[in-house]
Amino acid sequence: MHCPFCQNPDTKVVDTRVGEDGYAIRRRRVCPKCSRRFTTVETATLMVIKRSGNVEPFDRDKVITGVRKACQGRPIREEDLKQLGQKVEEDLRSRGLAQIPSEDVGRAILKPLRDLDEVAYMRFASVYQEFNNLEDFENAIRELRSQQERERQSEQGKQGK
């Protein structure tokens, strides 16, 4: 790592810490030539393969912006959107892949959004899954109700033990 002050190519790491999000490493460095200190941040880049074939870095803010549109007019706090974005990123990174298709990003958004707000979920799903008619909405609502019933039965089973 080159010193940003004197361009010396040899710097020494004096401290290493994991970043707040758990996906970055912060290194405190010192230059033996000019004795100045600086910090570097190292991250592993998660790439998204778009439908067009283009590849771009994953952007948590882009996920939050897309979900925010589906949440307009709903009682959703900004903090909830940030947590959803973090959950989506954690889910995608936990797969251990360097590149993820954009369809997987959309699918990773659906469950935490459903848990957050069903109306926002339906809005997002209708765009993401390209609903074309009322039957598509009816099928999605039926699936949502079925999922709720399974969760309710599972919860009742846990309480009965």
Side-chain angles (χ1 to χ4, degrees):
M1 171 61 64
H2 286 79
C3 173
F5 306 107
C6 71
Q7 305 308 312
N8 179 27
D10 183 34
T11 60
K12 181 179 176 188
V13 175
V14 292
D15 185 36
T16 301
R17 296 181 185 196
V18 176
E20 292 177 16
D21 63 1
Y23 296 110
I25 297 174
R26 293 175 40 116
R27 297 194 195 279
R28 193 73 180 136
R29 297 175 179 267
V30 64
C31 175
K33 185 175 176 186
C34 69
S35 300
R36 300 204 46 197
R37 291 177 176 249
F38 60 99
T39 302
T40 59
V41 179
E42 300 172 19
T43 59
T45 304
L46 177 64
M47 302 302 285
V48 177
I49 305 166
K50 308 294 280 185
R51 287 184 181 144
S52 66
N54 292 340
V55 179
E56 64 182 47
F58 174 81
D59 183 355
R60 186 189 301 183
D61 290 334
K62 200 169 178 181
V63 169
I64 294 169
T65 299
V67 172
R68 185 181 290 121
K69 291 175 186 173
C71 294
Q72 280 184 322
R74 303 296 302 155
I76 309 289
R77 300 175 319 178
E78 189 64 25
E79 183 61 32
D80 295 331
L81 293 176
K82 288 179 181 176
Q83 287 177 351
L84 184 141
Q86 183 173 348
K87 285 178 188 175
V88 169
E89 184 171 356
E90 287 172 358
D91 175 14
L92 296 172
R93 287 188 183 276
S94 72
R95 299 175 191 194
L97 301 172
Q99 294 187 341
I100 304 248
S102 60
E103 295 82 20
D104 288 0
V105 176
R107 278 194 287 277
I109 292 170
L110 289 173
K111 182 173 181 348
L113 183 55
R114 186 190 77 214
D115 294 343
L116 181 63
D117 187 274
E118 292 169 347
V119 172
Y121 165 83
M122 288 300 296
R123 289 174 177 171
F124 185 86
S126 70
V127 173
Y128 169 70
Q129 296 174 339
E130 299 177 356
F131 289 6
N132 293 314
N133 53 45
L134 287 177
E135 189 174 315
D136 292 340
F137 279 95
E138 289 169 347
N139 290 336
I141 291 169
R142 199 174 305 116
E143 177 59 34
L144 190 57
R145 286 187 174 142
S146 174
Q147 180 66 34
Q148 286 176 332
E149 184 59 31
R150 285 192 298 271
E151 289 172 1
R152 226 183 337 268
Q153 289 174 353
S154 175
E155 194 59 38
Q156 288 172 349
K158 290 177 186 175
Q159 291 174 354
K161 289 183 179 179

